[in-house]
Amino acid sequence: MNTFAHMKYLFTTLAIVLSSFLAVHAQAPALGGPSVQSDPDAKKLLDQVSTRFKGYQSVKAGFTLTIENADGKVDGKKTGTVAMKGTKYRISLPGQEIFCDGNNTWSYDKSSNEVKIDKVDPTAHAITPQTLLTNFYDKDYLYKLNGTVPVNGKSAQEIELTPNDKTKPFFKVLVYVSRLTKNIVSTKVFQKNGTHFTYTLNSFTPNSPAVKDEDFVFDQKKYPGVDVVDLR
């Protein structure tokens, strides 16, 4: 898998996590039509999470990505940061950065010192935070509350998400909500190929004054000699 394909793959899984992490501010009615119902206890918990998120103008968080293979062995770990404000976001991983100002995306690879620029298409079906924020819960998933489990030594409630679309590359997402803060603290994505991606939040700062609009735009002057591939 080439570098940019790998970046896109990691970003896809992170977008799933971001959407489960942030999209709960949207309405979460019963999913899949009148004949299929989600767990009302899970909905109640998501509503509590939603209440906290409705007041956030921006979010800045640090996370650890753990990748496990089909045998349950850890293939690698990455630490990164994510910032979001409205339709804008910035994802930073070692050697990789993705910027989006709501209109354009910049995918930067440090090893090749190359950035690819794409236009955001709001009508496309690409997995991005801004598209998932509007339709993630109320159209795409069923959810249920599994119970209480420890996450990093603290008590968390586990919500299981199952995609209605069975052609997706993953078949299950587990979301862990802190019993104390009612914030989502970890998410695990189960790929059909056996790979598991676990994103655990190490820090979480709502309404951070450090989140500024210019952070979501790739500043070419800060990357001397960068090769720009404009795909717009």
Side-chain angles (χ1 to χ4, degrees):
M1 185 180 294
N2 63 43
T3 301
F4 278 106
H6 186 61
M7 286 178 67
K8 184 176 181 182
Y9 189 61
L10 289 178
F11 172 63
T12 298
T13 61
L14 183 54
I16 295 166
V17 173
L18 288 175
S19 60
S20 65
F21 181 62
L22 294 171
V24 294
H25 77 277
Q27 294 297 315
L31 308 184
S35 62
V36 180
Q37 298 289 322
S38 284
D39 184 351
D41 290 333
K43 182 184 186 305
K44 181 179 178 180
L45 179 57
L46 291 174
D47 286 344
Q48 291 177 308
V49 177
S50 172
T51 298
R52 296 187 64 84
F53 272 90
K54 284 179 179 177
Y56 298 162
Q57 298 300 312
S58 65
V59 169
K60 186 174 184 180
F63 64 88
T64 298
L65 163 63
T66 303
I67 305 170
E68 298 174 85
N69 61 26
D71 296 325
K73 296 181 179 179
V74 175
D75 275 346
K77 284 190 175 182
K78 293 176 179 284
T79 58
T81 60
V82 57
M84 296 188 71
K85 183 179 180 182
T87 60
K88 305 177 180 69
Y89 60 88
R90 179 173 177 174
I91 301 168
S92 299
L93 288 162
Q96 306 168 348
E97 288 187 281
I98 299 175
F99 305 75
C100 180
D101 64 356
N103 297 308
N104 303 285
T105 60
W106 295 262
S107 300
Y108 174 71
D109 174 44
K110 184 177 181 180
S111 63
S112 62
N113 198 26
E114 181 177 280
V115 62
K116 289 187 176 180
I117 310 174
D118 278 302
K119 191 76 175 175
V120 173
D121 181 0
T123 65
H125 297 290
I127 299 177
T128 66
Q130 59 260 44
T131 57
L132 282 170
L133 283 173
T134 60
N135 62 13
F136 178 79
Y137 260 91
D138 60 356
K139 294 181 181 179
D140 294 342
Y141 290 82
L142 293 172
Y143 47 78
K144 67 176 181 176
L145 185 62
N146 285 339
T148 301
V149 296
V151 176
N152 291 338
K154 297 182 180 180
S155 181
Q157 292 169 282
E158 180 184 275
I159 300 174
E160 182 176 332
L161 303 170
T162 304
N164 292 325
D165 182 359
K166 303 307 179 185
T167 65
K168 289 183 180 294
F170 56 93
F171 64 91
K172 181 171 66 176
V173 181
L174 297 178
V175 177
Y176 298 92
V177 179
S178 167
R179 289 182 63 90
L180 179 63
T181 66
K182 301 305 179 187
N183 283 330
I184 296 175
V185 294
S186 183
T187 305
K188 188 170 187 176
V189 181
F190 293 75
Q191 298 283 120
K192 289 179 179 177
N193 63 6
T195 303
H196 299 161
F197 293 89
T198 300
Y199 292 86
T200 302
L201 289 183
N202 305 317
S203 63
F204 175 76
T205 307
N207 303 324
S208 171
V211 177
K212 303 182 184 300
D213 288 338
E214 55 264 30
D215 296 335
F216 305 106
V217 178
F218 182 82
D219 186 351
Q220 190 172 335
K221 298 190 295 294
K222 295 180 180 179
Y223 301 82
V226 64
D227 183 18
V228 179
V229 179
D230 196 333
L231 303 175
R232 292 173 294 181

